[in-house]
Amino acid sequence: VTGTFNVGQERARGAMLNGRQRLTRKTFVDYDWALDSTALISAPVQLLQANVTLVPGAQLAHLPLHTFVCALDQIVGKSLDLRYTVHTFSAGNTKSLPAYNYSDLRASVPVGPGLFSVTVSNVFNQWANIAGLRNVGVPLALNKFASTADYAPYIGTAATEQFGLPYRTIFFNYALFTR
């Protein structure tokens, strides 16, 4: 049997604010703020019983409600471009971390017919970990069909593995421009 079956309804709402502001002739601020609310409105009882992490009316798991990226871009001298960026995510994110942020720093300068740049990712080594940490993540909310067994041995089904960010990493790049 083939056909289309509606397994539920979701509502996605949000707002975004982004732009670039010039502070001085050589200094800019770039920003990108997003509010993304995605919630399950309705679903068949069978689906809610089979997946107790679906909670009608609540933000879907692993979709952060707020994200914010802000960068300060400064040109030093005639050609050295420095850019410091902060990335911020609210709780409910894909890494099962509480609200977190991290920073990047990039320096670039023209060299010959190209551009040489050095980028330091996760400058302050925030939330750095290459392994998933079981039993330390942020628990997911469970719906009314969850049984006692669904809460044991963890708080929230499949919700207790926390994933870290990559350790501080330094990238070197040379881009050659040809005509």
Side-chain angles (χ1 to χ4, degrees):
V1 176
T2 62
T4 304
F5 178 71
N6 184 358
V7 296
Q9 293 180 339
E10 291 181 354
R11 178 179 21 214
R13 298 186 279 191
M16 295 179 70
L17 176 65
N18 54 42
R20 178 170 231 203
Q21 300 297 315
R22 180 187 294 263
L23 301 179
T24 68
R25 195 169 63 89
K26 295 184 174 187
T27 307
F28 300 91
V29 173
D30 295 318
Y31 52 90
D32 186 351
W33 171 79
L35 168 67
D36 296 314
S37 171
T38 306
L40 179 68
I41 300 305
S42 67
V45 171
Q46 298 87 344
L47 180 63
L48 295 174
Q49 289 171 334
N51 187 345
V52 295
T53 61
L54 291 176
V55 181
Q59 177 79 359
L60 290 179
H62 306 300
L63 293 176
L65 186 61
H66 299 279
T67 57
F68 180 65
V69 178
C70 186
L72 179 63
D73 200 341
Q74 171 75 45
I75 298 171
V76 179
K78 292 185 178 185
S79 59
L80 176 63
D81 185 9
L82 298 174
R83 183 177 180 88
Y84 177 74
T85 307
V86 177
H87 308 264
T88 304
F89 300 88
S90 67
N93 53 67
T94 58
K95 297 194 173 289
S96 293
L97 293 171
Y100 71 94
N101 65 63
Y102 68 94
S103 301
D104 297 327
L105 179 63
R106 185 192 77 218
S108 57
V109 64
V111 175
L115 184 70
F116 177 75
S117 63
V118 176
T119 302
V120 181
S121 182
N122 198 1
V123 173
F124 303 109
N125 238 7
Q126 294 166 275
W127 292 101
N129 192 349
I130 59 171
L133 301 175
R134 294 187 62 78
N135 305 321
V136 294
V138 177
L140 294 176
L142 302 182
N143 66 32
K144 67 182 181 179
F145 297 105
S147 67
T148 305
D150 292 320
Y151 287 93
Y154 312 115
I155 300 172
T157 303
T160 60
E161 187 167 8
Q162 184 180 86
F163 299 94
L165 300 174
Y167 288 100
R168 179 184 307 116
T169 309
I170 302 173
F171 299 96
F172 298 95
N173 186 54
Y174 183 74
L176 180 62
F177 303 117
T178 60
R179 294 180 194 224

